[in-house]
Amino acid sequence: MRYVSTRGSAPSLDFGDVLLVGLATDGGLYVPSEVPSLPDDWDVERPYAELAAAIMWPYVEGCIDAETFAALVADSYRSFEHPDVVPMRQLEPGLFLAELFWGPTLAFKDVALQLVGRLFDEELRRRGDRVTVVGATSGDTGSAAIEALRDRVAVDCFILHPNGRVSEVQRRQMTTVLADNVFNLAVDGTFDDCQDLVKAMFADEAFRNRFHLSAVNSINFARVLAQIVYFVTAAAWVRRRIGVDSPVSFVVPTGNFGNVYAGHLARRAGLPVGQLVVASNANDILPRLFTTGTMAQTGVVATLSPSMDIQVSSNLERLLWELHGGDGAAVDVLMRRFREHGTVTLDPEQWRSLSSGFAAYRADDSACLDIMARYYRRHDVLVDPHTAVGLSAAEQHGYSPERPLVVLATAHPAKFADAVAQATGVRPALPARLGNLLERAERYERVANDLQSVEAFVLTHARVGR
Ligand SMILES: *Cc1c(COP(=O)(O)O)cnc(C)c1O
């Protein structure tokens, strides 16, 4: 399998290179040059890790041997507390939750990052190389990345989070990891600022080469790849459960568009998916794009679902590349225009094909609190605010036993306990395995929102490039 850049001018790479470089040198994102079909027996019940290895194999073949890969996948999902890895729950006839939060840091990012950390180790060992991972987080990616990369000998890990804009549990899950290869930077700015700083470090070619920069945020295709799997297991479960073979639709609480893009690839691989429903909080650039055909940036507002407080959804570029028929030069022009003017309008043809497979809805904080309270009363289930945005989108979109809808539950309620308590009066307890998280010592560095300060910090702390 070859991977090509969405901007068309960076060299095409194999999986091992794509894994380690993340962002392409032309500023684009790597996409697979073709989408392999799902295994024929995708809907047969079997252990999660087994199906996962089978689905992902065509994407990694040639870079790792099959046995090693299967073992890494199996090992990754042993770190999950639930034996199903992604357990399913029926809420109402036609409405289901896929619980993606049983990994070590209580959010869906673990599903991909537990595997990506192990793939990094394997690939770097094979090459005798080391890398410096730099990443931006709105809260959940950072902790999942740190948990996946801590103490790995060939990796130093620098994670930028927006100072004061992540929840206490999120912050502590990052800052209480005192491993020698982990560095937390609290940037005075928003998540988009953090993301821009990371992109700027990658664009600084001398810096990038000297420190062997590598990315594990959702622009890394390996993460998207691992996320394809649970769309498949969830659709298979629903179809077995209700005995239908109608397509299954998904609601995806969305920020950077990585998760929903994985659902799109699952559909292209042959999974019978109805609609992919994008659920946004008050940061509604995507619902506005899907209803008007214009993508227009506004300021980021802080909400109860901080992991979705994003205005520029990086992974959308992968879909835009498809809409442009794989014309990297056209995507390059489009993205530059968007950078410059903060707005861009799709032509009607592209907008129509975008709208045919996707729907998008917005839910603000008050809707989200109402949902959390209602589902607690009616179903005795506590959902986190991101999942609540998803449930609101599900209600706006509609569902029935003939048109089943799966809402991806992207975080454990205890990760956002304040919001859950505000809505329901019940404070969800942290799972026992997180232990004394709230008492442990923290370590992080507060830095200004500028490239020089961040690069200077990396320069003094990274072990490669000195
Ligand atoms: C990261 C995250 C999201 C957004 O996912 P994207 O892939 O960035 O769209 C939603 N919910 C939670 C809890 C997250 O951590």
Side-chain angles (χ1 to χ4, degrees):
M1 171 77 74
R2 300 299 294 178
Y3 293 82
V4 298
S5 166
T6 51
R7 308 254 175 124
S9 55
S12 79
L13 301 178
D14 68 9
F15 180 79
D17 286 327
V18 165
L19 173 73
L20 295 179
V21 303
L23 198 68
T25 48
D26 56 7
L29 278 62
Y30 277 104
V31 282
S33 52
E34 64 199 284
V35 178
S37 302
L38 292 178
D40 291 337
D41 56 353
W42 64 268
D43 55 352
V44 175
E45 191 166 9
R46 56 177 150 158
Y48 184 93
E50 220 178 281
L51 181 58
I55 292 170
M56 292 187 280
W57 176 246
Y59 291 90
V60 303
E61 189 174 2
C63 290
I64 184 170
D65 71 82
E67 227 166 283
T68 309
F69 183 63
L72 289 182
V73 174
D75 191 47
S76 303
Y77 297 121
R78 267 195 288 275
S79 68
F80 279 61
E81 201 164 294
H82 199 288
D84 293 348
V85 182
V86 179
M88 300 291 297
R89 181 201 279 258
Q90 178 157 10
L91 290 179
E92 288 189 4
L95 181 64
F96 303 87
L97 276 186
E99 296 182 347
L100 303 178
F101 51 68
W102 292 92
T105 70
L106 311 181
F108 86 92
K109 309 281 196 304
D110 289 324
V111 180
L113 281 163
Q114 281 297 309
L115 176 62
V116 167
R118 286 167 175 82
L119 288 171
F120 259 67
D121 237 16
E122 178 64 24
E123 184 65 18
L124 290 168
R125 194 186 52 71
R126 199 173 66 81
R127 297 179 181 209
D129 198 0
R130 1 177 359 103
V131 292
T132 304
V133 165
V134 292
T137 185
S138 55
D140 293 333
T141 296
S143 52
I146 287 168
E147 200 53 53
L149 297 173
R150 62 187 296 173
D151 298 317
R152 297 204 181 270
V153 286
V155 181
D156 286 325
C157 178
F158 293 82
I159 299 295
L160 283 60
H161 71 263
N163 188 36
R165 288 174 189 247
V166 299
S167 80
E168 184 180 8
V169 170
Q170 286 180 316
R171 188 190 72 244
R172 286 182 162 275
Q173 282 181 322
M174 299 190 279
T175 58
T176 60
V177 174
L178 303 178
D180 286 345
N181 69 332
V182 168
F183 303 93
N184 281 289
L185 289 86
V187 175
D188 286 317
T190 64
F191 168 66
D192 285 334
D193 293 328
C194 295
Q195 193 157 255
D196 284 345
L197 286 166
V198 168
K199 283 189 179 166
M201 279 187 270
F202 274 91
D204 179 347
E205 210 174 316
F207 188 82
R208 171 187 177 138
N209 292 337
R210 175 168 170 197
F211 293 103
H212 301 200
L213 286 200
S214 192
V216 295
N217 49 346
S218 67
I219 56 175
N220 192 309
F221 183 77
R223 277 185 58 184
V224 172
L225 175 59
Q227 292 169 356
I228 294 173
V229 176
Y230 46 72
F231 286 90
V232 180
T233 59
W237 189 91
V238 166
R239 286 156 60 105
R240 284 197 301 267
R241 172 72 178 245
I242 62 179
V244 297
D245 54 7
S246 50
V248 177
S249 293
F250 288 88
V251 175
V252 186
T254 294
N256 242 333
F257 208 76
N259 213 4
V260 65
Y261 175 71
H264 174 68
L265 288 185
R267 176 166 59 191
R268 285 193 56 205
L271 188 70
V273 173
Q275 294 267 294
L276 290 165
V277 179
V278 171
S280 295
N281 62 25
N283 297 289
D284 61 350
I285 187 168
L286 291 171
R288 285 185 284 114
L289 167 66
F290 284 87
T291 50
T292 67
T294 294
M295 181 160 75
Q297 218 177 330
T298 54
V300 183
V301 263
T303 71
L304 295 174
S305 42
S307 303
M308 294 155 59
D309 290 348
I310 288 171
Q311 274 293 334
V312 184
S313 298
S314 312
N315 280 289
L316 185 69
E317 182 167 335
R318 294 187 152 117
L319 192 61
L320 294 173
W321 176 80
E322 265 181 45
L323 293 179
H324 285 80
D327 180 351
V331 174
D332 192 44
V333 170
L334 186 83
M335 295 316 292
R336 274 173 205 280
R337 224 187 309 144
F338 181 63
R339 267 280 129 186
E340 200 175 317
H341 305 292
T343 174
V344 74
T345 299
L346 300 178
D347 69 39
E349 191 55 39
Q350 290 164 350
W351 179 34
R352 215 168 310 123
S353 62
L354 186 69
S355 312
S356 67
F358 293 87
Y361 304 92
R362 159 200 160 115
D364 59 20
D365 281 351
S366 66
C368 181
L369 289 166
D370 170 61
I371 290 266
M372 285 191 277
R374 238 173 342 106
Y375 280 77
Y376 178 60
R377 278 201 310 271
R378 197 188 300 161
H379 301 288
D380 200 24
V381 52
L382 292 175
V383 295
D384 98 287
H386 304 78
T387 306
V389 170
L391 285 168
S392 169
E395 291 184 353
Q396 294 176 63
H397 188 72
Y399 51 83
S400 67
E402 295 74 41
R403 289 173 50 233
L405 187 57
V406 174
V407 174
L408 300 187
T410 50
H412 191 289
K415 199 157 187 182
F416 300 93
D418 290 342
V420 176
Q422 185 187 342
T424 64
V426 178
R427 197 171 183 84
L430 278 177
R433 63 174 166 157
L434 268 75
N436 62 345
L437 182 71
L438 299 176
E439 280 97 58
R440 265 179 263 157
E442 295 185 75
R443 187 178 71 198
Y444 62 94
E445 183 81 9
R446 194 157 163 194
V447 294
N449 174 18
D450 82 35
L451 183 61
Q452 260 167 3
S453 313
V454 176
E455 286 192 344
F457 185 85
V458 174
L459 189 118
T460 37
H461 293 89
R463 286 174 295 179
V464 215
R466 293 215 257 155

